[in-house]
Amino acid sequence: PFEFPPGSPFEDMFKEFGTPQKRKASALGSGFIIDEKGIVVTNNHVIQGAEDIFVRVNGNKEYEATIIGADPLSDIAVLQIKSNDKFISVKFGDSNKIMIGEWSIAIGNPFGLFSLTDHPTVTVGVVSALGMNLSSINDRYYMNMIQTDASINQGNSGGPLVNSIGEMIGMNTIIYTAQGSSGNVGVGFAIPINKV
């Protein structure tokens, strides 16, 4: 807070508009563990510009993490959880073998909502299209994306897209929205896991 001497012309102005305060912004996203040592993969846009990164595992245990690799162009980032705990990693599928029409399940933390059991949410859809190329969005190029109608919303970025047997086939990354809206309209995109 600013301090002004009594009678200063600025004293009345700050009384009227309030004293400027520092505040921290926070962002939210999802991710997945790929190694028992706590290596996490997420979207770069989830962690870009972050001073502090915290990873919540199983909805109730929170760890600090550091960035060990990030690529803004492909929108992929790799984190390391600061802990000696052992973690359970995802089971990988093969994104070259997925087919249009097969089930797809988006897992994540949309809008920061957790259920009473502190687990991430799951939405179900199908693989709508393969090989989708999206033009430059915020200086990122999304090439060869998986399109799904499984509901993906803010906070799902970086989370897994899995097939019907629980194998990870993609990383939820971006949605298409109607102009003037930021909600899901059933057109979501995931980076194929083979690329990740």
Side-chain angles (χ1 to χ4, degrees):
F2 290 94
E3 294 283 337
F4 295 103
S8 167
F10 295 106
E11 190 177 30
D12 290 337
M13 182 176 78
F14 280 97
K15 277 183 187 170
E16 185 177 340
F17 295 106
T19 305
Q21 303 286 324
K22 277 188 173 182
R23 38 177 221 164
K24 281 195 168 192
S26 61
L28 181 69
S30 299
F32 51 96
I33 298 171
I34 63 167
D35 184 270
E36 68 175 12
K37 294 177 183 173
I39 296 176
V40 176
V41 177
T42 188
N43 285 128
N44 184 69
H45 74 259
V46 170
I47 55 88
Q48 191 169 16
E51 291 179 19
D52 301 307
I53 299 172
F54 295 94
V55 175
R56 184 179 292 165
V57 179
N58 294 331
N60 57 7
K61 202 160 184 185
E62 197 167 82
Y63 301 89
E64 194 172 349
T66 57
I67 301 169
I68 58 174
D71 180 18
L73 290 178
S74 65
D75 201 10
I76 298 171
V78 182
L79 312 175
Q80 174 68 62
I81 294 174
K82 293 181 180 179
S83 172
N84 291 323
D85 291 356
K86 288 196 185 273
F87 298 91
I88 299 171
S89 62
V90 296
K91 182 179 176 187
F92 290 100
D94 184 349
S95 54
N96 290 333
K97 293 182 177 177
I98 59 178
M99 297 181 297
I100 294 171
E102 77 172 87
W103 290 107
S104 58
I105 304 162
I107 302 172
N109 187 15
F111 308 109
L113 301 173
F114 273 94
S115 68
L116 292 175
T117 57
D118 284 330
H119 285 82
T121 63
V122 183
T123 56
V124 178
V126 297
V127 173
S128 305
L130 297 169
M132 300 298 290
N133 295 329
L134 308 175
S135 60
S136 173
I137 301 168
N138 299 329
D139 298 323
R140 294 185 291 268
Y141 293 88
Y142 295 104
M143 309 299 284
N144 194 31
M145 301 288 281
I146 300 166
Q147 181 182 330
T148 181
D149 65 349
S151 187
I152 298 171
N153 288 289
Q154 293 174 11
N156 276 108
S157 289
L161 183 71
V162 301
N163 61 19
S164 60
I165 57 173
E167 297 172 332
M168 187 163 172
I169 56 173
M171 178 169 62
N172 303 322
T173 300
I174 194 167
I175 62 172
Y176 176 84
T177 60
Q179 196 164 3
S181 166
S182 61
N184 181 282
V185 293
V187 182
F189 298 95
I191 299 172
I193 195 59
N194 292 12
K195 180 177 179 180
V196 175

PDB file of all heavy atoms in Angstrom, residues 99-131:
ATOM      1  N   MET A  99      -9.606 -44.975 -34.708  1.00  0.00           N
ATOM      2  CA  MET A  99     -10.493 -44.867 -35.865  1.00  0.00           C
ATOM      3  C   MET A  99     -11.612 -43.877 -35.581  1.00  0.00           C
ATOM      4  O   MET A  99     -12.063 -43.745 -34.436  1.00  0.00           O
ATOM      5  CB  MET A  99     -11.106 -46.233 -36.191  1.00  0.00           C
ATOM      6  CG  MET A  99     -10.081 -47.280 -36.587  1.00  0.00           C
ATOM      7  SD  MET A  99     -10.840 -48.857 -36.993  1.00  0.00           S
ATOM      8  CE  MET A  99     -11.596 -49.311 -35.459  1.00  0.00           C
ATOM      9  N   ILE A 100     -12.062 -43.214 -36.619  1.00  0.00           N
ATOM     10  CA  ILE A 100     -13.210 -42.318 -36.501  1.00  0.00           C
ATOM     11  C   ILE A 100     -14.407 -43.147 -36.044  1.00  0.00           C
ATOM     12  O   ILE A 100     -14.656 -44.237 -36.546  1.00  0.00           O
ATOM     13  CB  ILE A 100     -13.498 -41.624 -37.844  1.00  0.00           C
ATOM     14  CG1 ILE A 100     -12.331 -40.701 -38.196  1.00  0.00           C
ATOM     15  CG2 ILE A 100     -14.806 -40.843 -37.795  1.00  0.00           C
ATOM     16  CD1 ILE A 100     -12.398 -40.121 -39.594  1.00  0.00           C
ATOM     17  N   GLY A 101     -15.108 -42.631 -35.048  1.00  0.00           N
ATOM     18  CA  GLY A 101     -16.292 -43.319 -34.528  1.00  0.00           C
ATOM     19  C   GLY A 101     -16.036 -44.118 -33.270  1.00  0.00           C
ATOM     20  O   GLY A 101     -16.987 -44.517 -32.596  1.00  0.00           O
ATOM     21  N   GLU A 102     -14.768 -44.360 -32.923  1.00  0.00           N
ATOM     22  CA  GLU A 102     -14.523 -45.112 -31.691  1.00  0.00           C
ATOM     23  C   GLU A 102     -14.721 -44.200 -30.485  1.00  0.00           C
ATOM     24  O   GLU A 102     -14.629 -42.982 -30.580  1.00  0.00           O
ATOM     25  CB  GLU A 102     -13.133 -45.762 -31.684  1.00  0.00           C
ATOM     26  CG  GLU A 102     -11.970 -44.861 -31.409  1.00  0.00           C
ATOM     27  CD  GLU A 102     -10.673 -45.645 -31.236  1.00  0.00           C
ATOM     28  OE1 GLU A 102      -9.992 -45.921 -32.236  1.00  0.00           O
ATOM     29  OE2 GLU A 102     -10.338 -45.964 -30.074  1.00  0.00           O
ATOM     30  N   TRP A 103     -15.002 -44.814 -29.328  1.00  0.00           N
ATOM     31  CA  TRP A 103     -15.245 -44.059 -28.110  1.00  0.00           C
ATOM     32  C   TRP A 103     -14.010 -43.270 -27.699  1.00  0.00           C
ATOM     33  O   TRP A 103     -12.883 -43.735 -27.843  1.00  0.00           O
ATOM     34  CB  TRP A 103     -15.639 -44.990 -26.962  1.00  0.00           C
ATOM     35  CG  TRP A 103     -16.993 -45.612 -27.124  1.00  0.00           C
ATOM     36  CD1 TRP A 103     -17.258 -46.908 -27.439  1.00  0.00           C
ATOM     37  CD2 TRP A 103     -18.251 -44.954 -26.988  1.00  0.00           C
ATOM     38  NE1 TRP A 103     -18.613 -47.100 -27.516  1.00  0.00           N
ATOM     39  CE2 TRP A 103     -19.249 -45.913 -27.240  1.00  0.00           C
ATOM     40  CE3 TRP A 103     -18.628 -43.655 -26.695  1.00  0.00           C
ATOM     41  CZ2 TRP A 103     -20.599 -45.616 -27.193  1.00  0.00           C
ATOM     42  CZ3 TRP A 103     -19.986 -43.349 -26.651  1.00  0.00           C
ATOM     43  CH2 TRP A 103     -20.946 -44.323 -26.895  1.00  0.00           C
ATOM     44  N   SER A 104     -14.250 -42.084 -27.164  1.00  0.00           N
ATOM     45  CA  SER A 104     -13.168 -41.278 -26.594  1.00  0.00           C
ATOM     46  C   SER A 104     -13.664 -40.693 -25.278  1.00  0.00           C
ATOM     47  O   SER A 104     -14.818 -40.283 -25.168  1.00  0.00           O
ATOM     48  CB  SER A 104     -12.739 -40.166 -27.557  1.00  0.00           C
ATOM     49  OG  SER A 104     -13.829 -39.331 -27.887  1.00  0.00           O
ATOM     50  N   ILE A 105     -12.784 -40.671 -24.300  1.00  0.00           N
ATOM     51  CA  ILE A 105     -13.147 -40.226 -22.960  1.00  0.00           C
ATOM     52  C   ILE A 105     -12.173 -39.122 -22.554  1.00  0.00           C
ATOM     53  O   ILE A 105     -10.962 -39.351 -22.503  1.00  0.00           O
ATOM     54  CB  ILE A 105     -13.081 -41.393 -21.954  1.00  0.00           C
ATOM     55  CG1 ILE A 105     -13.979 -42.543 -22.423  1.00  0.00           C
ATOM     56  CG2 ILE A 105     -13.455 -40.933 -20.553  1.00  0.00           C
ATOM     57  CD1 ILE A 105     -13.672 -43.877 -21.783  1.00  0.00           C
ATOM     58  N   ALA A 106     -12.706 -37.938 -22.293  1.00  0.00           N
ATOM     59  CA  ALA A 106     -11.881 -36.804 -21.863  1.00  0.00           C
ATOM     60  C   ALA A 106     -11.888 -36.745 -20.337  1.00  0.00           C
ATOM     61  O   ALA A 106     -12.946 -36.716 -19.716  1.00  0.00           O
ATOM     62  CB  ALA A 106     -12.412 -35.497 -22.441  1.00  0.00           C
ATOM     63  N   ILE A 107     -10.699 -36.716 -19.763  1.00  0.00           N
ATOM     64  CA  ILE A 107     -10.548 -36.673 -18.306  1.00  0.00           C
ATOM     65  C   ILE A 107      -9.900 -35.350 -17.937  1.00  0.00           C
ATOM     66  O   ILE A 107      -8.962 -34.917 -18.598  1.00  0.00           O
ATOM     67  CB  ILE A 107      -9.682 -37.844 -17.809  1.00  0.00           C
ATOM     68  CG1 ILE A 107     -10.300 -39.183 -18.241  1.00  0.00           C
ATOM     69  CG2 ILE A 107      -9.506 -37.789 -16.295  1.00  0.00           C
ATOM     70  CD1 ILE A 107      -9.428 -40.383 -17.954  1.00  0.00           C
ATOM     71  N   GLY A 108     -10.393 -34.704 -16.898  1.00  0.00           N
ATOM     72  CA  GLY A 108      -9.780 -33.436 -16.506  1.00  0.00           C
ATOM     73  C   GLY A 108     -10.484 -32.752 -15.364  1.00  0.00           C
ATOM     74  O   GLY A 108     -11.245 -33.364 -14.615  1.00  0.00           O
ATOM     75  N   ASN A 109     -10.237 -31.465 -15.290  1.00  0.00           N
ATOM     76  CA  ASN A 109     -10.718 -30.655 -14.178  1.00  0.00           C
ATOM     77  C   ASN A 109     -11.377 -29.391 -14.724  1.00  0.00           C
ATOM     78  O   ASN A 109     -10.862 -28.296 -14.538  1.00  0.00           O
ATOM     79  CB  ASN A 109      -9.515 -30.318 -13.282  1.00  0.00           C
ATOM     80  CG  ASN A 109      -9.908 -29.618 -12.022  1.00  0.00           C
ATOM     81  OD1 ASN A 109     -11.067 -29.605 -11.634  1.00  0.00           O
ATOM     82  ND2 ASN A 109      -8.942 -28.998 -11.382  1.00  0.00           N
ATOM     83  N   PRO A 110     -12.514 -29.519 -15.422  1.00  0.00           N
ATOM     84  CA  PRO A 110     -13.122 -28.337 -16.025  1.00  0.00           C
ATOM     85  C   PRO A 110     -13.578 -27.333 -14.983  1.00  0.00           C
ATOM     86  O   PRO A 110     -14.231 -27.692 -14.003  1.00  0.00           O
ATOM     87  CB  PRO A 110     -14.308 -28.905 -16.812  1.00  0.00           C
ATOM     88  CG  PRO A 110     -14.639 -30.179 -16.134  1.00  0.00           C
ATOM     89  CD  PRO A 110     -13.335 -30.714 -15.611  1.00  0.00           C
ATOM     90  N   PHE A 111     -13.174 -26.089 -15.186  1.00  0.00           N
ATOM     91  CA  PHE A 111     -13.564 -24.973 -14.316  1.00  0.00           C
ATOM     92  C   PHE A 111     -13.158 -25.180 -12.861  1.00  0.00           C
ATOM     93  O   PHE A 111     -13.682 -24.548 -11.963  1.00  0.00           O
ATOM     94  CB  PHE A 111     -15.067 -24.702 -14.417  1.00  0.00           C
ATOM     95  CG  PHE A 111     -15.556 -24.527 -15.822  1.00  0.00           C
ATOM     96  CD1 PHE A 111     -16.349 -25.490 -16.419  1.00  0.00           C
ATOM     97  CD2 PHE A 111     -15.196 -23.411 -16.565  1.00  0.00           C
ATOM     98  CE1 PHE A 111     -16.799 -25.336 -17.728  1.00  0.00           C
ATOM     99  CE2 PHE A 111     -15.633 -23.257 -17.870  1.00  0.00           C
ATOM    100  CZ  PHE A 111     -16.440 -24.212 -18.447  1.00  0.00           C
ATOM    101  N   GLY A 112     -12.234 -26.113 -12.599  1.00  0.00           N
ATOM    102  CA  GLY A 112     -11.791 -26.352 -11.225  1.00  0.00           C
ATOM    103  C   GLY A 112     -12.789 -27.119 -10.390  1.00  0.00           C
ATOM    104  O   GLY A 112     -12.697 -27.142  -9.171  1.00  0.00           O
ATOM    105  N   LEU A 113     -13.751 -27.768 -11.032  1.00  0.00           N
ATOM    106  CA  LEU A 113     -14.782 -28.508 -10.294  1.00  0.00           C
ATOM    107  C   LEU A 113     -14.285 -29.900  -9.945  1.00  0.00           C
ATOM    108  O   LEU A 113     -13.768 -30.618 -10.779  1.00  0.00           O
ATOM    109  CB  LEU A 113     -16.047 -28.637 -11.152  1.00  0.00           C
ATOM    110  CG  LEU A 113     -16.683 -27.326 -11.596  1.00  0.00           C
ATOM    111  CD1 LEU A 113     -17.814 -27.608 -12.565  1.00  0.00           C
ATOM    112  CD2 LEU A 113     -17.196 -26.560 -10.388  1.00  0.00           C
ATOM    113  N   PHE A 114     -14.436 -30.285  -8.705  1.00  0.00           N
ATOM    114  CA  PHE A 114     -14.123 -31.639  -8.262  1.00  0.00           C
ATOM    115  C   PHE A 114     -15.378 -32.223  -7.635  1.00  0.00           C
ATOM    116  O   PHE A 114     -16.167 -31.528  -7.019  1.00  0.00           O
ATOM    117  CB  PHE A 114     -12.986 -31.645  -7.223  1.00  0.00           C
ATOM    118  CG  PHE A 114     -11.625 -31.703  -7.836  1.00  0.00           C
ATOM    119  CD1 PHE A 114     -10.913 -30.546  -8.073  1.00  0.00           C
ATOM    120  CD2 PHE A 114     -11.061 -32.922  -8.181  1.00  0.00           C
ATOM    121  CE1 PHE A 114      -9.654 -30.598  -8.626  1.00  0.00           C
ATOM    122  CE2 PHE A 114      -9.800 -32.982  -8.742  1.00  0.00           C
ATOM    123  CZ  PHE A 114      -9.091 -31.820  -8.969  1.00  0.00           C
ATOM    124  N   SER A 115     -15.526 -33.519  -7.789  1.00  0.00           N
ATOM    125  CA  SER A 115     -16.681 -34.178  -7.189  1.00  0.00           C
ATOM    126  C   SER A 115     -16.448 -34.312  -5.685  1.00  0.00           C
ATOM    127  O   SER A 115     -15.387 -33.983  -5.171  1.00  0.00           O
ATOM    128  CB  SER A 115     -16.852 -35.569  -7.816  1.00  0.00           C
ATOM    129  OG  SER A 115     -15.778 -36.408  -7.415  1.00  0.00           O
ATOM    130  N   LEU A 116     -17.431 -34.821  -4.974  1.00  0.00           N
ATOM    131  CA  LEU A 116     -17.313 -35.018  -3.532  1.00  0.00           C
ATOM    132  C   LEU A 116     -16.182 -35.980  -3.189  1.00  0.00           C
ATOM    133  O   LEU A 116     -15.651 -35.965  -2.090  1.00  0.00           O
ATOM    134  CB  LEU A 116     -18.634 -35.542  -2.956  1.00  0.00           C
ATOM    135  CG  LEU A 116     -19.797 -34.551  -2.987  1.00  0.00           C
ATOM    136  CD1 LEU A 116     -21.074 -35.227  -2.507  1.00  0.00           C
ATOM    137  CD2 LEU A 116     -19.490 -33.332  -2.133  1.00  0.00           C
ATOM    138  N   THR A 117     -15.802 -36.832  -4.133  1.00  0.00           N
ATOM    139  CA  THR A 117     -14.718 -37.783  -3.901  1.00  0.00           C
ATOM    140  C   THR A 117     -13.375 -37.225  -4.352  1.00  0.00           C
ATOM    141  O   THR A 117     -12.380 -37.932  -4.350  1.00  0.00           O
ATOM    142  CB  THR A 117     -14.998 -39.106  -4.638  1.00  0.00           C
ATOM    143  OG1 THR A 117     -15.167 -38.830  -6.033  1.00  0.00           O
ATOM    144  CG2 THR A 117     -16.223 -39.786  -4.096  1.00  0.00           C
ATOM    145  N   ASP A 118     -13.343 -35.939  -4.729  1.00  0.00           N
ATOM    146  CA  ASP A 118     -12.101 -35.268  -5.145  1.00  0.00           C
ATOM    147  C   ASP A 118     -11.427 -35.925  -6.341  1.00  0.00           C
ATOM    148  O   ASP A 118     -10.214 -35.981  -6.419  1.00  0.00           O
ATOM    149  CB  ASP A 118     -11.106 -35.172  -3.986  1.00  0.00           C
ATOM    150  CG  ASP A 118     -11.493 -34.088  -2.993  1.00  0.00           C
ATOM    151  OD1 ASP A 118     -12.106 -33.102  -3.425  1.00  0.00           O
ATOM    152  OD2 ASP A 118     -11.185 -34.231  -1.815  1.00  0.00           O
ATOM    153  N   HIS A 119     -12.194 -36.424  -7.273  1.00  0.00           N
ATOM    154  CA  HIS A 119     -11.632 -37.005  -8.484  1.00  0.00           C
ATOM    155  C   HIS A 119     -11.970 -36.120  -9.675  1.00  0.00           C
ATOM    156  O   HIS A 119     -12.954 -35.388  -9.656  1.00  0.00           O
ATOM    157  CB  HIS A 119     -12.172 -38.422  -8.705  1.00  0.00           C
ATOM    158  CG  HIS A 119     -11.569 -39.416  -7.782  1.00  0.00           C
ATOM    159  ND1 HIS A 119     -12.011 -39.598  -6.494  1.00  0.00           N
ATOM    160  CD2 HIS A 119     -10.531 -40.271  -7.939  1.00  0.00           C
ATOM    161  CE1 HIS A 119     -11.287 -40.534  -5.901  1.00  0.00           C
ATOM    162  NE2 HIS A 119     -10.380 -40.949  -6.757  1.00  0.00           N
ATOM    163  N   PRO A 120     -11.150 -36.201 -10.730  1.00  0.00           N
ATOM    164  CA  PRO A 120     -11.453 -35.403 -11.924  1.00  0.00           C
ATOM    165  C   PRO A 120     -12.727 -35.894 -12.603  1.00  0.00           C
ATOM    166  O   PRO A 120     -13.223 -36.977 -12.296  1.00  0.00           O
ATOM    167  CB  PRO A 120     -10.231 -35.635 -12.821  1.00  0.00           C
ATOM    168  CG  PRO A 120      -9.608 -36.885 -12.334  1.00  0.00           C
ATOM    169  CD  PRO A 120      -9.942 -37.001 -10.875  1.00  0.00           C
ATOM    170  N   THR A 121     -13.237 -35.078 -13.499  1.00  0.00           N
ATOM    171  CA  THR A 121     -14.466 -35.452 -14.198  1.00  0.00           C
ATOM    172  C   THR A 121     -14.140 -36.193 -15.488  1.00  0.00           C
ATOM    173  O   THR A 121     -13.030 -36.122 -16.006  1.00  0.00           O
ATOM    174  CB  THR A 121     -15.311 -34.212 -14.537  1.00  0.00           C
ATOM    175  OG1 THR A 121     -14.573 -33.389 -15.436  1.00  0.00           O
ATOM    176  CG2 THR A 121     -15.647 -33.420 -13.292  1.00  0.00           C
ATOM    177  N   VAL A 122     -15.134 -36.894 -15.987  1.00  0.00           N
ATOM    178  CA  VAL A 122     -14.992 -37.690 -17.201  1.00  0.00           C
ATOM    179  C   VAL A 122     -16.161 -37.362 -18.114  1.00  0.00           C
ATOM    180  O   VAL A 122     -17.305 -37.301 -17.660  1.00  0.00           O
ATOM    181  CB  VAL A 122     -15.025 -39.200 -16.857  1.00  0.00           C
ATOM    182  CG1 VAL A 122     -14.816 -40.045 -18.094  1.00  0.00           C
ATOM    183  CG2 VAL A 122     -14.002 -39.547 -15.796  1.00  0.00           C
ATOM    184  N   THR A 123     -15.871 -37.107 -19.385  1.00  0.00           N
ATOM    185  CA  THR A 123     -16.939 -36.945 -20.377  1.00  0.00           C
ATOM    186  C   THR A 123     -16.672 -37.907 -21.517  1.00  0.00           C
ATOM    187  O   THR A 123     -15.518 -38.224 -21.821  1.00  0.00           O
ATOM    188  CB  THR A 123     -17.008 -35.499 -20.911  1.00  0.00           C
ATOM    189  OG1 THR A 123     -15.745 -35.129 -21.448  1.00  0.00           O
ATOM    190  CG2 THR A 123     -17.407 -34.532 -19.806  1.00  0.00           C
ATOM    191  N   VAL A 124     -17.739 -38.376 -22.136  1.00  0.00           N
ATOM    192  CA  VAL A 124     -17.619 -39.419 -23.148  1.00  0.00           C
ATOM    193  C   VAL A 124     -18.130 -38.916 -24.485  1.00  0.00           C
ATOM    194  O   VAL A 124     -19.124 -38.194 -24.558  1.00  0.00           O
ATOM    195  CB  VAL A 124     -18.411 -40.673 -22.721  1.00  0.00           C
ATOM    196  CG1 VAL A 124     -18.358 -41.754 -23.777  1.00  0.00           C
ATOM    197  CG2 VAL A 124     -17.887 -41.206 -21.393  1.00  0.00           C
ATOM    198  N   GLY A 125     -17.463 -39.322 -25.539  1.00  0.00           N
ATOM    199  CA  GLY A 125     -17.884 -39.004 -26.901  1.00  0.00           C
ATOM    200  C   GLY A 125     -17.249 -39.986 -27.851  1.00  0.00           C
ATOM    201  O   GLY A 125     -16.922 -41.107 -27.470  1.00  0.00           O
ATOM    202  N   VAL A 126     -17.082 -39.559 -29.065  1.00  0.00           N
ATOM    203  CA  VAL A 126     -16.422 -40.388 -30.070  1.00  0.00           C
ATOM    204  C   VAL A 126     -15.317 -39.575 -30.734  1.00  0.00           C
ATOM    205  O   VAL A 126     -15.287 -38.351 -30.642  1.00  0.00           O
ATOM    206  CB  VAL A 126     -17.401 -40.899 -31.153  1.00  0.00           C
ATOM    207  CG1 VAL A 126     -18.463 -41.800 -30.546  1.00  0.00           C
ATOM    208  CG2 VAL A 126     -18.021 -39.750 -31.926  1.00  0.00           C
ATOM    209  N   VAL A 127     -14.421 -40.284 -31.393  1.00  0.00           N
ATOM    210  CA  VAL A 127     -13.441 -39.614 -32.236  1.00  0.00           C
ATOM    211  C   VAL A 127     -14.203 -39.142 -33.462  1.00  0.00           C
ATOM    212  O   VAL A 127     -14.747 -39.952 -34.213  1.00  0.00           O
ATOM    213  CB  VAL A 127     -12.284 -40.567 -32.616  1.00  0.00           C
ATOM    214  CG1 VAL A 127     -11.367 -39.920 -33.639  1.00  0.00           C
ATOM    215  CG2 VAL A 127     -11.515 -40.988 -31.376  1.00  0.00           C
ATOM    216  N   SER A 128     -14.284 -37.839 -33.656  1.00  0.00           N
ATOM    217  CA  SER A 128     -15.084 -37.273 -34.744  1.00  0.00           C
ATOM    218  C   SER A 128     -14.311 -37.167 -36.048  1.00  0.00           C
ATOM    219  O   SER A 128     -14.880 -37.293 -37.131  1.00  0.00           O
ATOM    220  CB  SER A 128     -15.588 -35.873 -34.354  1.00  0.00           C
ATOM    221  OG  SER A 128     -16.282 -35.919 -33.143  1.00  0.00           O
ATOM    222  N   ALA A 129     -13.007 -36.882 -35.956  1.00  0.00           N
ATOM    223  CA  ALA A 129     -12.173 -36.740 -37.149  1.00  0.00           C
ATOM    224  C   ALA A 129     -10.717 -36.902 -36.748  1.00  0.00           C
ATOM    225  O   ALA A 129     -10.349 -36.737 -35.589  1.00  0.00           O
ATOM    226  CB  ALA A 129     -12.389 -35.376 -37.802  1.00  0.00           C
ATOM    227  N   LEU A 130      -9.891 -37.223 -37.728  1.00  0.00           N
ATOM    228  CA  LEU A 130      -8.447 -37.367 -37.514  1.00  0.00           C
ATOM    229  C   LEU A 130      -7.706 -36.454 -38.478  1.00  0.00           C
ATOM    230  O   LEU A 130      -8.226 -36.081 -39.529  1.00  0.00           O
ATOM    231  CB  LEU A 130      -8.019 -38.819 -37.749  1.00  0.00           C
ATOM    232  CG  LEU A 130      -8.623 -39.856 -36.797  1.00  0.00           C
ATOM    233  CD1 LEU A 130      -8.345 -41.269 -37.294  1.00  0.00           C
ATOM    234  CD2 LEU A 130      -8.075 -39.674 -35.391  1.00  0.00           C
ATOM    235  N   GLY A 131      -6.489 -36.094 -38.125  1.00  0.00           N
ATOM    236  CA  GLY A 131      -5.651 -35.296 -39.019  1.00  0.00           C
ATOM    237  C   GLY A 131      -6.130 -33.872 -39.211  1.00  0.00           C
ATOM    238  O   GLY A 131      -5.908 -33.276 -40.271  1.00  0.00           O
TER     239      GLY A 131
END
